[in-house]
């Protein structure tokens, strides 16, 4: 059975409770959660809003019988169930000119086995894994030796490279 790796996160409301609800709904509608990282807190990434609360993120590994696009549909349905309003987020981005906005929940498909998918709706592996410490840290916790199917790098290698780049940019 395929294994999917999903990043859960958000920064508005009771994130501990919402991430627990997301895990429960993923278990019910996607497949069995095999592993779950701790929750990690980080500053908003990709947008600057002085009053934006920190994000909480967690990585889950699940088995699923769903095909990749059906899995995406299920994750987006869970987001809606947990109160995500993409139209409100779009309006906020338009108002602020920022590429991202605060959100109640975000479920990103990071990996689907070792598949490489590039369609108008879905890109797997997630194209920004190597640029996001908030993804790599929990990923290192539960899947440190998993190899990225395109680059061949492990989460530990990607995290080291990201931190070295960030340190050199300072």
């Amino acid at each position: 059975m395929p294994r999917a790796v999903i990043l859960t996160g958000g920064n508005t409301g009771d994130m501990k409770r919402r991430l627990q609800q997301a895990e429960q709904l993923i278990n019910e509608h996607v497949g069995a959660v095999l592993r779950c990282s701790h929750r990690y807190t980080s500053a908003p990434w990709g947008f600057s809003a002085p009053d934006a609360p920190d994000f909480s993120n967690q990585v889950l590994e699940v088995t699923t019988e769903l095909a990749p696009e059906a899995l995406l549909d299920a994750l987006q349905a869970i987001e809606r169930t947990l109160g995500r309003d993409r139209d409100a987020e779009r309006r906020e981005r338009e108002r602020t000119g920022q590429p991202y906005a605060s959100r109640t929940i975000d479920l990103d498909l990071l990996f689907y086995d070792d598949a490489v998918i590039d369609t108008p709706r879905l890109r797997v592996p997630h194209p920004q894994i190597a640029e996001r410490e908030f993804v790599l840290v929990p990923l290192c916790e539960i899947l440190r030796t998993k190899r990225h199917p395109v680059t061949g790098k492990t989460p530990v290698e990607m995290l080291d490279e990201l931190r070295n780049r960030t340190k050199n940019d300072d």
Side-chain angles (χ1 to χ4, degrees):
M1 189 174 318
R3 290 186 181 199
V5 180
I6 301 164
L7 176 73
T8 64
N11 73 328
T12 61
D14 183 349
M15 285 313 306
K16 179 179 179 183
R17 185 168 190 276
R18 193 162 301 109
L19 292 180
Q20 289 170 339
Q21 291 171 318
E23 181 180 351
Q24 179 183 352
L25 290 169
I26 287 168
N27 218 5
E28 291 172 11
H29 300 285
V30 171
V33 175
L34 302 174
R35 289 189 266 192
C36 178
S37 76
H38 288 90
R39 281 183 303 113
Y40 291 88
T41 302
S42 62
W45 184 93
F47 70 103
S48 58
D51 57 344
D54 286 345
F55 276 77
S56 286
N57 292 100
Q58 194 168 34
V59 168
L60 310 175
E61 181 185 27
V62 303
T63 59
T64 186
E65 293 182 1
L66 299 175
E69 292 218 359
L71 174 54
L72 178 63
D73 291 338
L75 295 176
Q76 290 177 343
I78 292 168
E79 287 177 338
R80 286 188 299 277
T81 297
L82 294 176
R84 183 160 189 186
D85 184 344
R86 289 181 183 268
D87 288 333
E89 291 171 28
R90 180 187 44 76
R91 288 190 301 275
E92 179 67 13
R93 290 192 314 272
E94 289 170 356
R95 185 184 69 75
T96 64
Q98 297 287 322
Y100 298 99
S102 292
R103 61 204 72 133
T104 57
I105 191 72
D106 189 16
L107 304 177
D108 287 335
L109 179 57
L110 301 177
F111 295 108
Y112 186 90
D113 274 342
D114 289 327
V116 177
I117 303 164
D118 190 356
T119 69
R121 270 193 81 212
L122 181 62
R123 290 181 65 198
V124 176
H126 192 287
Q128 294 176 314
I129 290 172
E131 304 304 317
R132 296 175 168 182
E133 189 168 345
F134 66 88
V135 174
L136 292 170
V137 170
L139 195 54
C140 284
E141 180 186 335
I142 66 169
L143 292 165
R144 6 183 356 95
T145 61
K146 176 162 182 58
R147 296 230 170 247
H148 190 289
V150 175
T151 67
K153 295 177 182 173
T154 67
V156 173
E157 292 167 335
M158 289 185 277
L159 182 59
D160 286 344
E161 288 179 4
L162 177 61
R163 287 179 171 166
N164 285 334
R165 275 194 316 272
T166 304
K167 184 171 54 175
N168 292 334
D169 290 344
D170 291 340

